[in-house]
Amino acid sequence: MENKNLTKIALMQGLNEQEISLILNCLQAKIKKYEKGETIFQEGEKIEEIGIIFSGTVTVQRNDYWGNRSIVALLGEMDVFGETFACLNQSSDVQVIAEDASEILFLQVNRVLTTCSSSCQFHNRLIRNLLEICARKNYQMNVKVDILSQKTTREKLLTFLSRQAIRLGKQQFEIPFNRQQLADYLSVDRSAMTVELGKLKKEGIIDFQKNVFTLNR
């Protein structure tokens, strides 16, 4: 942990490195390593820990009865996951998979939410940060609901790309998904999506080179 800038962790915002070191000791933090494709949280598993990505990338995904995958989120370094199920003390209805070799820092949620004599002066900030993370995730889910509520693959693509451009404030931007991941995120057929992307490019509405997209007015 000594080589990581712990102040970049959203859950630790407002705390300095000395305070973070004290509180991680109090929370009995532990780090686990995962290989590419390894499951971090299994669907149906009782979640009691909050995960923080120290290195690597993970996908939060949901599989239906027939094994069709839908990507809920793609998370990178210093992102937080598992907080909703941990706080609710209930089993996960999603699966968290390491997309590549990853290091994950785990914190017991009951220790996060319960103040103690040794670090209680930091706990209020920690709990406030956790609430902000949950609120941000709720907003992101509302964004996805808006995207998935669109009726056609074309409308889903344009809504997704428009929101990315507005969020980043740029006409040209890179998306975090490859083509299969994007199709899974949008809950559409990859082949149909690829055809639609080609049409949008031919019509001059968008341009793209791999994962870099440009929106044209």
Side-chain angles (χ1 to χ4, degrees):
M1 276 191 265
E2 62 274 10
N3 295 325
K4 299 291 182 179
N5 186 354
L6 302 179
T7 59
K8 290 184 178 180
I9 300 173
L11 191 61
M12 305 296 174
Q13 290 298 303
L15 301 175
N16 60 42
E17 290 191 5
Q18 182 179 6
E19 292 169 337
I20 293 171
S21 179
L22 287 171
I23 208 163
L24 287 179
N25 183 60
C26 166
L27 297 175
Q28 296 183 349
K30 59 184 180 182
I31 291 179
K32 290 185 179 179
K33 294 184 179 181
Y34 294 87
E35 298 299 323
K36 179 179 180 179
E38 195 172 352
T39 299
I40 300 171
F41 285 157
Q42 185 63 264
E43 196 169 349
E45 181 181 347
K46 184 73 174 294
I47 305 299
E48 298 178 343
E49 297 175 312
I50 297 171
I52 299 170
I53 304 168
F54 257 21
S55 64
T57 308
V58 309
T59 53
V60 182
Q61 61 188 53
R62 186 175 283 114
N63 302 306
D64 67 16
Y65 183 80
W66 294 274
N68 298 309
R69 181 178 77 156
S70 173
I71 292 182
V72 178
L74 180 65
L75 305 176
E77 192 169 307
M78 299 305 173
D79 281 337
V80 178
F81 63 90
E83 72 288 342
T84 300
F85 299 108
C87 289
L88 291 173
N89 193 30
Q90 71 176 47
S91 300
S92 172
D93 68 351
V94 296
Q95 194 174 27
V96 182
I97 305 291
E99 282 293 303
D100 45 33
S102 303
E103 285 184 292
I104 310 297
L105 172 70
F106 289 102
L107 307 175
Q108 287 287 335
V109 72
N110 63 332
R111 288 182 170 271
V112 173
L113 297 176
T114 306
T115 59
C116 68
S117 58
S118 62
S119 63
C120 59
Q121 65 267 38
F122 311 136
H123 260 91
N124 286 338
R125 182 70 197 188
L126 200 66
I127 293 170
R128 188 158 63 248
N129 288 342
L130 181 58
L131 286 173
E132 289 178 3
I133 290 168
C134 290
R136 194 176 306 116
K137 293 284 185 71
N138 183 61
Y139 172 75
Q140 291 169 352
M141 289 306 299
N142 286 337
V143 168
K144 186 171 183 183
V145 168
D146 177 46
I147 294 169
L148 296 186
S149 68
Q150 305 303 311
K151 294 181 180 179
T152 66
T153 298
R154 181 188 182 95
E155 290 171 339
K156 288 179 180 180
L157 278 167
L158 289 175
T159 302
F160 168 76
L161 293 171
S162 174
R163 281 191 168 272
Q164 289 290 307
I166 292 170
R167 181 177 66 85
L168 297 170
K170 295 191 292 186
Q171 181 184 6
Q172 186 179 82
F173 51 86
E174 184 175 2
I175 66 171
F177 302 121
N178 61 35
R179 291 296 185 267
Q180 185 59 60
Q181 290 170 337
L182 180 58
D184 291 340
Y185 179 80
L186 298 177
S187 295
V188 298
D189 178 75
R190 177 180 174 175
S191 297
M193 183 193 74
T194 301
V195 170
E196 204 58 58
L197 283 171
K199 289 180 180 178
L200 289 167
K201 185 174 184 177
K202 187 175 181 179
E203 293 169 21
I205 297 173
I206 67 172
D207 196 7
F208 56 84
Q209 183 65 36
K210 294 186 178 179
N211 287 0
V212 178
F213 284 77
T214 302
L215 303 193
N216 302 315
R217 293 187 181 275

